[in-house]
């Protein structure tokens, strides 16, 4: 606020007496509330950006990494080469974030949708679960799918 504006505002307050002081206090309260709201919006935006960056980092970790027992190709390359209509995503349950994958393939003569959920901790990851047409696959069924994906 410029000095002349401040002098003008103070002379109006003096001229209006108590009601002028009340107006000035209300004006300052509105300014403080506006500052608090703006700070809250900035904090929320920063947190959203950080969450988005973490999701990108987790997805990159899985897509560029290899699964134990399948070191010949990255997960991203193997899955995107094998499955039709591959779709990657991120899911969160509690504090744990997951990278998700869905894609179509032919299984026993039929086109089926396979879903894979990867757990991610810092720079390590693994398969949390795998589904076929929404039904959870057991360890042997998962192994059959992975061997088909990696051509082993």
């Amino acid at each position: 606020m410029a000095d002349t504006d401040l002098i003008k505002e103070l002379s109006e307050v003096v001229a209006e007496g108590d009601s002028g002081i009340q107006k000035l206090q209300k004006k300052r309260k509105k300014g403080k509330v506006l500052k608090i709201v703006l700070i809250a919006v900035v904090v929320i935006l920063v947190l959203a950006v950080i969450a988005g960056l973490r999701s990108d980092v987790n997805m990159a970790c899985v897509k560029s990494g290899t699964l134990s027992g399948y070191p010949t190709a990255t997960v991203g390359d193997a899955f995107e080469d094998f499955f039709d209509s591959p779709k990657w995503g991120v899911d969160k349950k509690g504090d744990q974030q997951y990278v998700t994958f869905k894609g179509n393939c032919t299984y026993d003569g039929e086109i089926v949708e396979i879903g894979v959920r990867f757990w991610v901790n810092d720079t390590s990851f693994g398969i949390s679960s795998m589904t076929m047409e929404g039904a959870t696959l057991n360890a042997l069924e998962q192994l059959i799918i992975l061997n088909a994906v990696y051509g082993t």
Side-chain angles (χ1 to χ4, degrees):
M1 185 179 284
D3 289 342
T4 54
D5 292 337
L6 181 60
I7 293 170
K8 182 179 175 185
E9 190 173 4
L10 287 175
S11 37
E12 288 173 5
V13 168
V14 170
E16 293 179 14
D18 287 343
S19 67
I21 292 172
Q22 290 171 348
K23 285 180 186 176
L24 183 60
Q25 287 172 339
K26 284 182 183 179
K27 198 175 195 181
R28 289 202 172 144
K29 275 186 181 178
K30 285 181 184 177
K32 286 181 182 178
V33 170
L34 181 61
K35 284 179 186 175
I36 291 170
V37 168
L38 288 174
I39 290 170
V41 167
V42 168
V43 168
I44 289 169
L45 289 173
V46 167
L47 291 174
V49 167
I50 290 170
L53 290 175
R54 180 178 171 121
S55 296
D56 291 345
V57 167
N58 287 343
M59 191 175 300
C61 175
V62 171
K63 290 175 86 172
S64 65
T66 58
L67 288 171
S68 178
Y70 303 96
T72 57
T74 66
V75 171
D77 288 343
F79 279 49
E80 289 175 13
D81 287 345
F82 182 80
F83 292 97
D84 292 328
S85 306
K87 293 185 183 105
W88 294 91
V90 177
D91 186 21
K92 189 172 182 180
K93 190 172 187 178
D95 289 340
Q96 180 64 52
Q97 193 171 57
Y98 298 92
V99 172
T100 59
F101 174 84
K102 285 188 178 181
N104 299 324
C105 67
T106 302
Y107 182 81
D108 203 20
E110 293 185 35
I111 295 177
V112 295
E113 181 182 74
I114 301 293
V116 184
R117 190 175 204 199
F118 299 91
W119 57 265
V120 182
N121 288 330
D122 297 324
T123 58
S124 61
F125 70 94
I127 293 177
S128 173
S129 64
M130 190 181 293
T131 61
M132 179 184 298
E133 293 297 316
T136 302
L137 300 178
N138 64 37
L140 180 58
E141 293 167 326
Q142 289 181 30
L143 187 61
I144 292 168
I145 297 296
L146 289 173
N147 284 339
V149 169
Y150 286 92
T152 58

